[in-house]
Amino acid sequence: MAESRQEEPAPAPVFVDESGLRSRLLRRFGWPVSVVGAILAAAMGSSLIGVQSDAPAMGVPPKPSYFPAKGPLSPFWP
């Protein structure tokens, strides 16, 4: 035997922005943010493409030369 089930109606939405204010605010905020992001991405990309750097190379300082005392060195204990 087949049971007859009544379908429950879909629940009503919790929030509906019929005025579209939220959408307009997000669009107004999103455009400047995306333009700034595009400018930063273009600046980063242009800095990575074939620009020669005239910065001096960082030299590694030489190790200090010292002569150990005769025999093994004792550990330093404060």
Side-chain angles (χ1 to χ4, degrees):
M1 293 187 158
E3 295 180 26
S4 65
R5 293 186 187 180
Q6 293 181 357
E7 292 191 25
E8 296 180 20
V14 176
F15 177 79
V16 176
D17 184 18
E18 293 177 0
S19 67
L21 180 63
R22 178 184 282 187
S23 173
R24 281 194 304 269
L25 286 176
L26 288 176
R27 258 187 274 138
R28 286 181 186 161
F29 179 71
W31 275 108
V33 169
S34 62
V35 168
V36 169
I39 291 170
L40 290 175
M44 184 182 73
S46 68
S47 71
L48 295 175
I49 298 175
V51 178
Q52 295 295 325
S53 173
D54 293 335
M58 292 180 59
V60 178
K63 277 186 160 182
S65 59
Y66 65 91
F67 295 103
K70 293 181 182 178
L73 294 174
S74 60
F76 173 75
W77 297 99

